[in-house]
Amino acid sequence: MTKHNIRTSIGNIFVLLLVFVMLVPVIYMILMSFRTGEEIAADPLGMPSGLFLGNYINTLESMNYFRSVANSVGITLSVTVIVAFVGSLAAYPLARSTNAWGRAFIMLVALGLATPAFVTITPIYVIFRQVGLLDNYVGIILAFTALNLPLAVFFYVGFIGAIPRDLEEAAKLDNCTDFQVFWHVIRPLLGPATATLSLFVMLMVWNDFTYPLLLLTDPDKFTVMISVYRFVGNHNIEPDLLFPAAVLGSLPLLIIFVIFQRRIVSGVTAGAVK
Amino acid sequence: MAELNIRNAIKRYGPVEVIHGIDLDIADGEFCVFVGPSGCGKSTLLRMIAGLEQTSEGQISIAGRDVTHAEPAKRGVAMVFQTYALYPHMTVRQNMSFGLKIGGTEKTEIARKVDEAARILKLGDYMDRKPKALSGGQRQRVAIGRAIVRQPEVFLFDEPLSNLDAELRVEMRVEIARLHNQLGATMIYVTHDQVEAMTMADKIVVLRDGRIEQVGSPVGLYEDPDNLFVAGFIGSPRMNFFAGKVTDMHDAGVTVTLPRLGDVAVPVATDAPLEIGHAVTVGVRPEHFDPSGEITAQLAIDVVENLGGVSYAYSTSQDNAPPVIIEWRGKNRPRQGGTVAVNFDAGCALLFDTASGLRLR
Ligand SMILES: Nc1ncnc2c1ncn2[C@@H]1O[C@H](COP(=O)(O)OP(=O)(O)O)[C@@H](O)[C@H]1O
Ligand SMILES: [Mg+2]
């Protein structure tokens, strides 16, 4: 074995270890979802004795699953699309501005990036109560959009800065207005950035439950994570419902990623600008 | 097709003035080359014409229309960038159609114009490729095609060939010249390469530090430069300069003594009012050294470059001045390390005022 081979082998072992550590909770969750409540209570670390699907049937009946998945999908996709569009549109002039105001504004955006989500929830709640956006799809979408926009702007400013200005000037000579330059030339080149950003935003929105918990009250508007969280009671956990619910709650996101994986990976590696 | 007039154009970046009042007229259908060293303001002036830079003062008009503050797309110009600036996500066809599509031209009309440009530039086989899948020369052609499709009144080129290798550069140079003949359009071409300027231009504009040094035809600038800068910049290898002093005066001119050539006395025709002792510079091009010339001097040769048909002999002096370059053809070429007698005709020598750099005619 050459030195190089030994080094890659050691590297591989570490990667496998890391993957294992990350997957343990997920595997545990999936395994437990097939065991009855009594089995789990008797032996929390045991293997399932068979593919017991009764949990899933019970869970599906008690968690309003399809309605909440539809809510989550709708909210997540809306937020992702709006964040990508508004974020890139805002980032374009910021990335091109050379004066002090532009840079100061970018710092302000970075400040938004550093603000924890639970700090903004109180003012958002108060404002939404005033303007009647509580328990409202538009409200929750707006809140999530505001929460994720700083990340998007920051992200896009870096990417747009790397696009040669020549392209914009060529487009100006090709009769484009400023917005047309953005739409026909800048936006298509942001594919890789948008793919990566969407990943972050979708994960964040799908998995967050503080915002929907506080901003939504109608059970028909609940997102899937709220539905899952309902099985975590104040004093006790119902494992035979919680584990299947957790699996079901992450499943749609997983499916979306599998479908778009090709695009996300190819987008990240494409290197559009050259 | 149109003429272009620039009146007292000034460009400032903040307090820094980089273009200092340019006056220039370019005739309809002319091929005009802006040439000068890097940083002299060629690109800035071109971009002012294109409308990509604001003009701080002065006036620019195209076809008699004042466009000083018009939008780039409203000036009737098309530009070919040094980096090509092709849209990476569009095919060749889309790249060439884009401007017309944005401008609202009809689909069949766009297709007709794009196909016509593709035919002129022999791009037919590449129309559905992305720029990434093209070689440098092909990308350059697409960039030119994109300009042609717009049927501009004035074509602008900013060092379009500087990213190509030497062989391709010669090829594209010929192609652009052919295109100019074919289209008959006004073209402005920026380069720092005086060979490109000499071979392509109808009119050369020599720029230095944001000012025009001289405007003229390639041959005009070569044979009759206005100052030391133009004389040294145009022509390759460059003109030899010999510092000297006026030692005698006569009816038709003055006699100049040149220490570098062993104090040889050279009679130069001039009408300029000079005095004995005036510091002057005499310029002699490498090819003007000729065995039949009446002025003779001895030079020590330290390097000889033999290119086959022609050799260049270099004579370096102790005082850090650029070497004297002598062109030789035919037999009896000098050898490295030897001393040779060089001759030239006094009629070929150009006289300059050393202090101001201006030509003394
Ligand atoms: N955006 C700018 N801000 C300040 N100075 C600039 C800017 N662009 C160009 N310059 C200056 O203007 C001068 C001319 O530049 P340029 O036209 O690019 O030269 P060239 O094309 O002849 O090499 C240079 O000295 C350069 O430093
Ligand atoms: Mg330049």
Side-chain angles (χ1 to χ4, degrees):
Chain A
M1 253 218 246
T2 67
K3 226 177 188 172
H4 179 75
N5 275 342
I6 294 172
R7 216 180 305 152
T8 40
S9 314
I10 293 176
N12 287 344
I13 289 169
F14 269 105
V15 170
L16 284 176
L17 259 174
L18 203 69
V19 170
F20 181 72
V21 169
M22 287 191 300
L23 283 184
V24 163
V26 179
I27 294 169
Y28 182 75
M29 172 180 90
I30 294 172
L31 288 178
M32 291 309 112
S33 70
F34 292 113
R35 303 175 78 202
T36 61
E38 293 82 52
E39 275 179 330
I40 298 175
D43 179 9
L45 292 179
M47 284 287 143
S49 50
L51 271 187
F52 177 61
L53 293 175
N55 291 343
Y56 280 94
I57 295 163
N58 292 340
T59 309
L60 280 179
E61 276 168 5
S62 57
M63 81 184 277
N64 201 4
Y65 181 66
F66 294 103
R67 177 74 203 217
S68 63
V69 165
N71 288 338
S72 272
V73 168
I75 292 170
T76 304
L77 289 186
S78 310
V79 171
T80 308
V81 168
I82 297 173
V83 163
F85 179 69
V86 176
S88 54
L89 204 53
Y92 177 39
L94 285 177
R96 290 308 190 216
S97 87
T98 47
N99 59 26
W101 287 110
R103 238 161 295 153
F105 197 85
I106 293 173
M107 293 318 290
L108 206 66
V109 170
L111 212 64
L113 207 58
T115 311
F118 66 85
V119 172
T120 43
I121 186 68
T122 313
I124 286 180
Y125 185 86
V126 173
I127 294 170
F128 277 16
R129 196 177 49 198
Q130 294 286 327
V131 299
L133 279 174
L134 283 181
D135 200 22
N136 183 316
Y137 285 128
V138 174
I140 186 89
I141 289 170
L142 273 181
F144 273 133
T145 302
L147 196 63
N148 282 288
L149 262 181
L151 175 70
V153 172
F154 212 63
F155 211 73
Y156 280 126
V157 163
F159 265 82
I160 293 173
I163 296 177
R165 273 167 198 253
D166 282 2
L167 289 182
E168 284 165 47
E169 294 177 344
K172 284 249 172 68
L173 282 161
D174 267 342
N175 244 322
C176 283
T177 61
D178 284 343
F179 183 76
Q180 283 173 321
V181 174
F182 170 78
W183 190 254
H184 294 292
V185 178
I186 302 295
R187 186 191 52 89
L189 296 177
L190 293 177
T194 304
T196 315
L197 177 78
S198 302
L199 199 82
F200 282 116
V201 173
M202 279 159 94
L203 274 175
M204 188 271 152
V205 174
W206 187 276
N207 289 332
D208 185 85
F209 77 101
T210 50
Y211 272 52
L213 193 67
L214 285 164
L215 300 179
L216 301 175
T217 43
D218 178 0
D220 271 350
K221 295 194 178 108
F222 279 176
T223 63
V224 77
M225 281 304 146
I226 300 274
S227 303
V228 173
Y229 196 68
R230 284 230 311 273
F231 296 114
V232 182
N234 278 340
H235 306 292
N236 63 321
I237 293 177
E238 297 170 72
D240 51 338
L241 293 178
L242 175 63
F243 285 119
V247 171
L248 289 172
S250 352
L251 202 60
L253 199 59
L254 210 67
I255 293 172
I256 292 180
F257 281 154
V258 169
I259 294 172
F260 287 105
Q261 186 211 20
R262 268 286 228 4
R263 275 192 67 176
I264 293 172
V265 172
S266 72
V268 170
T269 51
V273 184
K274 190 70 213 188
Chain B
M1 314 303 116
E3 78 276 5
L4 181 102
N5 310 93
I6 302 177
R7 288 286 161 269
N8 190 34
I10 292 174
K11 174 67 191 175
R12 290 185 206 94
Y13 289 111
V16 186
E17 193 171 294
V18 296
I19 298 287
H20 316 278
I22 297 279
D23 283 297
L24 184 64
D25 297 297
I26 298 169
D28 182 18
E30 206 164 31
F31 197 111
C32 176
V33 174
F34 294 172
V35 70
S38 180
C40 69
K42 309 178 292 290
S43 297
T44 305
L45 185 58
L46 193 76
R47 292 164 56 81
M48 286 160 73
I49 296 170
L52 296 172
E53 299 283 358
Q54 294 282 330
T55 300
S56 309
E57 250 178 65
Q59 195 192 50
I60 297 173
S61 47
I62 295 174
R65 200 162 55 90
D66 181 357
V67 296
T68 315
H69 301 291
E71 287 290 312
K74 305 279 181 284
R75 296 182 176 212
V77 301
M79 184 155 165
V80 176
F81 294 82
Q82 180 175 354
T83 55
Y84 318 133
L86 300 177
Y87 310 120
H89 54 294
M90 298 185 197
T91 64
V92 169
R93 177 176 295 281
Q94 288 166 336
N95 260 286
M96 286 164 67
S97 322
F98 183 63
L100 295 178
K101 208 173 110 196
I102 293 293
T105 309
E106 208 194 324
K107 267 211 175 105
T108 52
E109 179 71 0
I110 294 178
R112 195 184 60 72
K113 284 184 176 170
V114 170
D115 288 337
E116 169 72 5
R119 192 184 56 74
I120 294 176
L121 291 163
K122 305 184 191 75
L123 280 170
D125 296 342
Y126 313 113
M127 294 305 277
D128 295 318
R129 289 204 202 165
K130 296 263 176 76
K132 232 188 324 192
L134 298 177
S135 71
Q138 290 163 344
R139 286 181 205 182
Q140 188 61 77
R141 277 210 188 81
V142 177
I144 295 172
R146 189 168 64 179
I148 292 179
V149 166
R150 300 192 50 217
Q151 295 180 319
E153 310 201 76
V154 181
F155 282 85
L156 307 174
F157 298 86
D158 192 355
E159 310 217 15
L161 306 186
S162 54
N163 285 350
L164 302 178
D165 61 45
E167 203 173 318
L168 209 52
R169 206 144 57 203
V170 175
E171 201 177 296
M172 286 305 294
R173 210 161 74 195
V174 174
E175 190 142 341
I176 292 175
R178 180 175 65 87
L179 202 65
H180 177 242
N181 292 335
Q182 200 169 344
L183 300 175
T186 311
M187 294 189 176
I188 305 178
Y189 186 104
V190 162
T191 179
H192 63 266
D193 179 356
Q194 59 92 22
V195 176
E196 272 176 27
M198 290 297 284
T199 51
M200 304 176 83
D202 296 322
K203 173 188 275 179
I204 295 180
V205 178
V206 182
L207 289 165
R208 177 165 69 149
D209 292 340
R211 287 195 176 80
I212 293 182
E213 290 286 316
Q214 193 174 355
V215 180
S217 68
V219 175
L221 293 193
Y222 188 82
E223 292 181 345
D224 196 14
D226 278 349
N227 52 51
L228 281 172
F229 179 79
V230 174
F233 194 81
I234 301 286
S236 171
R238 65 194 301 277
M239 184 185 276
N240 299 299
F241 293 125
F242 302 104
K245 278 195 164 49
V246 174
T247 48
D248 196 10
M249 330 238 311
H250 35 88
D251 288 349
V254 295
T255 298
V256 179
T257 306
L258 304 176
R260 178 75 180 87
L261 295 179
D263 283 330
V264 67
V266 182
V268 195
T270 177
D271 294 333
L274 293 173
E275 290 157 14
I276 303 269
H278 194 95
V280 291
T281 299
V282 170
V284 182
R285 292 207 182 270
E287 71 269 25
H288 286 152
F289 289 103
D290 174 7
S292 65
E294 76 261 20
I295 313 280
T296 298
Q298 300 290 319
L299 278 177
I301 302 299
D302 44 15
V303 176
V304 178
E305 288 176 350
N306 190 342
L307 306 182
V310 57
S311 291
Y312 294 107
Y314 293 81
S315 168
T316 312
S317 67
Q318 267 71 44
D319 54 6
N320 267 338
V324 178
I325 308 171
I326 306 129
E327 183 183 309
W328 292 80
R329 288 173 188 275
K331 303 258 182 280
N332 300 326
R333 298 193 187 171
R335 281 167 192 263
Q336 219 148 293
T339 299
V340 294
V342 295
N343 302 57
F344 64 94
D345 257 329
C348 297
L350 304 179
L351 190 66
F352 301 89
D353 179 49
T354 303
S356 67
L358 291 180
R359 174 85 180 278
L360 300 169
R361 288 195 170 90

